[in-house]
Amino acid sequence: MKNSSRCLCYLITGLLGLRLACAPADAAPNPQSLPIAPGPFAADLTSLKQYQVPKWFRDAKFGIWSHWGPQAVPMNGDWYARGMYEEGNKHYAYHREHYGHPSTNGYKDIIPLWKAEKWDPDRLMALYKKAGARYFVSMASHHDNFFLWNSRLHRWNSVNMGPHRDVVGDWQKAARKHGLKFGVSEHLGASFTWFQSSHRADKSGPLAGVPYDGANPQYQDLYHFPAEPDDTGWYSKNPRWQRMWFDRIRELVDGYRPDLLYTDGGVPFGNEVGLSLIAHYYNQSAARNRGQPAVVYTCKQRSEGRWIEDLERGVMPRINPDPWQTDTSIGDWYYNRNWRFRPVSWTIHMLADIVAKNGNLLLNVVQRPDGSLDPQVEQDLAALAAWNAINGEAIFETRPWKIYGEGPVRARGGHFKEDFNYSARDIRFTTKGKVLYAIALGWPEDGQLLVRSLAKVENGPANRITKVTLLGHRGRLQWTQTSEGLSVRLPATRPCDHAVTLKILGRDLAPVEHPAVVEAVLPDAGGRLRLTPEKADLHGTQLNLEAQGGQPNIGFWDRADEWAAWKVRFPQAGTYRLTAVCAALAESEFFVQAGTQRLAGKATATGSWSEFRPLELGTLRIEAPGEVEVSMRPHSPERWKAVNLRVLEITPIP
């Protein structure tokens, strides 16, 4: 009977919502009518082209982000507020088990549980500054439509509810105290369509058809009014919501005057409304800085210098002419008890690669619901601080060299491509004045570091190296410059872990093209030959080394005109069994060539990019001991889909 009453109540609610949704929409916001501060910038792409990236951002290189709010409470990961309203979603199952059914106990009931009782922004900011951060970004509002600032326009905010603190304001005070630039991230633009799942109902079970609490008009200011049936994109088409977004983000910008404003997506709402907000933000800053804005707007859209292009969990494939930014996290975006944190080596390698390509790294340091950090996170911050204390001069206030680096790992570039298996052969270059820095992303086992791009040029003016030192090492280095490259004998004791930096002085330093070095694959104690990605000679511009499933692989190999080869040293004549270990989402055909022999293979769908399965390809007959080139190539464009290759194994048959 209670369920029937609730159904009747929600039926009335649904009809009211339908009436609201079907009512004539407000006129689309006109950029000319939106309140924009006076100044040199107008809401159009031509006007915004005059923007110049402030020096502080180009020098900063590294920022830390607090991607934190009520969705951290369940400790179940990102997008909880939406997933808890989707049957079959892990968040839905967790919510029902721990908090109740979303028809009665919804996200509104999670918000009061976020108390931030152990949050100490001053202490955390001191840790972040010591770790090397030059700017700090606070979440202002995620897609959950909950504001972390003291808003006059929206009652669902952290001053009225949850911790009863101005989270943005308190973070800002701490950042200013410790001398860091301060930014805010807004994910509000996508909130309207993102949160519509809260208006639905179960399709099965005892509460099938009973609307979730998001359909209740009493909470419509949190869950939004109903969307039109065809309004399902990342950014809503609804003009009423577009104007609400503009007014609320303008309130944030006007009230806190952040040095950086991040949008989770492209410029919102077909540019018109978003460009108005950008122009307002720039003009406000210009009025305080003699006509030149000192602020940064960043979003996930090509900018051509109008703002900072941001890549989520990804990097550029090469030096970008305009400054850019990667945003990523040491774990899930919100605290997730089931995720392992990234090792500090990953952070250091990402930072070096990004800075060498003219970018900045914005790193989310995952906080617990109470605002504290896990002990491992604090330990990693201390390790990062120790590394930056030695190598920071090769990172901060630097600029890219003529090439970003050298080595076998060549990042594909783009969003969600950040897992690479770097080694000491991967070197990243930065410059500062007349100094060239070469950051090796590992420590060579033999203690000999070779920088092939700095080979000696015979009978030419280029690459006259005069001095080489190792940051963190006080003694002299033994080094020689030959036609093979700059060869450096490293000291017996490492000055630091994870990556080391050569500081190089000279005249007319310029990169020298060099052929790839292919190390011969040698048999292990059992006679097995493992053709791993690190030993491969990669032929093509898009092939790169990643680390799916915790092990290196040639990742997302999707071009049929690219291939990989190995130099294999067979210890004796005989018959060998050939096996490929692959992951794929679709069937893909290839062949392996060993000398004059060719074996065909077919990778089958494994279910995910991190699920690898062995494929038996047949046998090879080796007539005499010695070196043989073994290559793997796609069969044809028509029969080749993307594949991850972990290893080719060649096993002797007795």
Side-chain angles (χ1 to χ4, degrees):
M1 197 61 185
K2 287 184 179 179
N3 287 347
S4 298
S5 300
R6 191 180 297 118
C7 284
L8 178 61
C9 175
Y10 279 124
L11 177 61
I12 295 171
T13 297
L15 290 173
L16 288 171
L18 181 62
R19 182 178 178 184
L20 285 170
C22 296
D26 299 333
N30 184 343
Q32 304 303 320
S33 67
L34 293 172
I36 299 175
F41 295 93
D44 65 72
L45 294 174
T46 301
S47 176
L48 294 176
K49 189 68 175 175
Q50 63 184 307
Y51 172 75
Q52 295 180 9
V53 179
K55 184 176 182 295
W56 75 258
F57 183 82
R58 298 203 67 189
D59 288 346
K61 306 304 180 186
F62 180 49
I64 284 181
W65 188 9
S66 174
H67 195 289
W68 181 55
Q71 290 182 88
V73 168
M75 298 194 292
N76 209 44
D78 197 22
W79 281 31
Y80 187 90
R82 171 171 166 165
M84 60 167 284
Y85 294 105
E86 297 175 337
E87 279 186 285
N89 190 294
K90 68 172 185 177
H91 298 317
Y92 172 89
Y94 186 89
H95 192 84
R96 286 199 60 175
E97 180 180 353
H98 292 86
Y99 303 108
H101 194 275
S103 291
T104 54
N105 298 78
Y107 186 62
K108 69 183 187 305
D109 303 295
I110 294 291
I111 290 172
L113 305 179
W114 184 48
K115 301 181 184 300
E117 58 270 29
K118 294 183 180 179
W119 177 45
D120 185 348
D122 186 70
R123 176 181 177 274
L124 294 178
M125 202 65 64
L127 290 177
Y128 299 157
K129 180 178 181 179
K130 188 174 182 181
R134 300 294 180 89
Y135 59 106
F136 176 86
V137 176
S138 167
M139 173 81 73
S141 176
H142 198 249
H143 310 312
D144 62 354
N145 198 28
F146 186 80
F147 291 6
L148 274 61
W149 78 89
N150 190 14
S151 174
R152 301 186 310 275
L153 303 177
H154 191 50
R155 67 179 173 121
W156 297 90
N157 68 69
S158 62
V159 176
N160 294 338
M161 304 173 187
H164 296 284
R165 294 178 66 174
D166 183 353
V167 174
V168 169
D170 287 355
W171 276 129
Q172 185 181 50
K173 290 175 185 176
R176 298 282 188 250
K177 175 182 174 181
H178 290 277
L180 275 68
K181 295 291 185 179
F182 177 74
V184 290
S185 68
E186 70 85 11
H187 311 241
L188 187 64
S191 176
F192 184 79
T193 51
W194 186 90
F195 224 175
Q196 291 296 316
S197 60
S198 66
H199 292 244
R200 300 171 190 155
D202 283 359
K203 295 181 180 179
S204 59
L207 293 180
V210 178
Y212 302 140
D213 68 333
N216 189 333
Q218 182 180 352
Y219 308 114
Q220 194 173 87
D221 53 347
L222 173 65
Y223 299 112
H224 304 298
F225 54 89
E228 298 282 353
D230 64 342
D231 193 6
T232 58
W234 184 250
Y235 288 137
S236 171
K237 299 183 292 184
N238 189 289
R240 177 182 167 196
W241 169 248
Q242 293 177 11
R243 180 58 192 258
M244 290 173 68
W245 173 86
F246 179 89
D247 290 341
R248 294 173 182 202
I249 301 305
R250 186 176 186 269
E251 178 193 54
L252 173 67
V253 168
D254 290 355
Y256 296 86
R257 296 185 176 181
D259 301 300
L260 180 146
L261 173 63
Y262 165 103
T263 286
D264 188 18
V267 176
F269 311 120
N271 284 346
E272 291 184 350
V273 177
L275 292 184
S276 296
L277 193 283
I278 298 171
H280 174 77
Y281 181 48
Y282 286 174
N283 284 340
Q284 262 205 347
S285 178
R288 301 190 298 267
N289 293 279
R290 300 180 180 180
Q292 185 65 41
V295 296
V296 168
Y297 176 73
T298 176
C299 69
K300 297 177 174 66
Q301 183 174 322
R302 291 285 299 275
S303 72
E304 296 180 341
R306 299 177 180 91
W307 52 80
I308 296 296
E309 180 181 355
D310 181 270
L311 294 179
E312 181 175 350
R313 293 192 184 270
V315 299
M316 290 286 181
R318 59 188 66 87
I319 297 174
N320 201 56
D322 296 310
W324 57 281
Q325 178 179 266
T326 285
D327 75 275
T328 189
S329 177
I330 61 172
D332 204 343
W333 285 115
Y334 283 101
Y335 194 92
N336 189 331
R337 61 171 62 83
N338 300 312
W339 275 44
R340 291 182 298 177
F341 293 116
R342 300 280 198 177
V344 70
S345 58
W346 175 87
T347 300
I348 290 169
H349 294 165
M350 284 284 287
L351 179 63
D353 180 71
I354 290 165
V355 170
K357 296 171 180 174
N358 203 27
N360 285 22
L361 171 62
L362 178 61
L363 182 71
N364 176 43
V365 174
V366 184
Q367 290 171 252
R368 298 181 66 87
D370 62 13
S372 64
L373 303 179
D374 278 5
Q376 180 189 339
V377 176
E378 298 219 16
Q379 292 169 12
D380 287 350
L381 286 171
L384 182 59
W387 189 87
N388 273 320
I390 293 173
N391 301 277
E393 71 171 271
I395 298 294
F396 306 109
E397 292 91 35
T398 63
R399 295 294 182 266
W401 193 41
K402 299 174 182 179
I403 59 172
Y404 71 84
E406 66 178 64
V409 175
R410 290 169 288 180
R412 185 182 185 86
H415 298 279
F416 305 101
K417 296 179 178 67
E418 61 178 0
D419 293 304
F420 306 106
N421 191 52
Y422 293 112
S423 69
R425 291 192 295 160
D426 294 294
I427 294 171
R428 297 295 178 262
F429 298 112
T430 61
T431 62
K432 185 184 297 181
K434 297 181 179 180
V435 178
L436 174 65
Y437 298 98
I439 307 171
L441 306 184
W443 185 270
E445 294 181 3
D446 61 0
Q448 195 77 21
L449 191 62
L450 180 66
V451 185
R452 296 173 61 79
S453 297
L454 291 175
K456 187 175 183 179
V457 178
E458 298 296 338
N459 302 319
N463 284 348
R464 295 293 188 247
I465 296 175
T466 57
K467 186 176 182 180
V468 180
T469 57
L470 180 68
L471 297 186
H473 175 67
R474 294 185 178 181
R476 291 187 176 184
L477 294 179
Q478 296 180 13
W479 60 272
T480 57
Q481 188 185 16
T482 70
S483 59
E484 293 295 316
L486 170 63
S487 180
V488 180
R489 168 59 63 180
L490 297 177
T493 303
R494 305 184 188 189
C496 58
D497 294 324
H498 315 303
V500 293
T501 304
L502 297 177
K503 184 176 182 179
I504 303 165
L505 296 175
R507 297 188 302 275
D508 301 315
L509 298 182
V512 175
E513 291 189 12
H514 52 84
V517 176
V518 181
E519 298 180 22
V521 178
L522 304 177
D524 61 18
R528 183 180 60 168
L529 296 139
R530 288 178 52 82
L531 282 56
T532 58
E534 307 99 309
K535 298 286 188 179
D537 181 12
L538 302 178
H539 295 261
T541 60
Q542 299 297 307
L543 287 179
N544 57 254
L545 274 62
E546 298 181 346
Q548 284 284 0
Q551 296 186 38
N553 63 278
I554 298 176
F556 201 72
W557 180 354
D558 65 340
R559 292 187 54 157
D561 60 345
E562 298 186 339
W563 51 287
W566 293 262
K567 183 164 51 176
V568 181
R569 188 171 300 165
F570 287 92
Q572 59 189 20
T575 303
Y576 293 80
R577 182 173 60 252
L578 180 60
T579 305
V581 181
C582 301
L585 297 186
E587 186 177 280
S588 195
E589 297 184 29
F590 60 91
F591 64 88
V592 174
Q593 186 93 26
T596 60
Q597 301 175 75
R598 176 181 291 195
L599 296 178
K602 182 183 293 185
T604 57
T606 61
S608 78
W609 292 117
S610 59
E611 185 176 342
F612 288 82
R613 296 177 187 169
L615 303 171
E616 298 294 339
L617 304 181
T619 60
L620 297 171
R621 179 62 189 174
I622 302 300
E623 300 297 337
E627 290 187 355
V628 176
E629 181 179 271
V630 177
S631 63
M632 176 172 165
R633 304 170 187 249
H635 180 280
S636 64
E638 296 77 19
R639 301 186 190 179
W640 180 252
K641 306 296 181 184
V643 164
N644 284 357
L645 175 70
R646 175 169 289 172
V647 66
L648 290 178
E649 292 186 346
I650 303 175
T651 307
I653 299 176

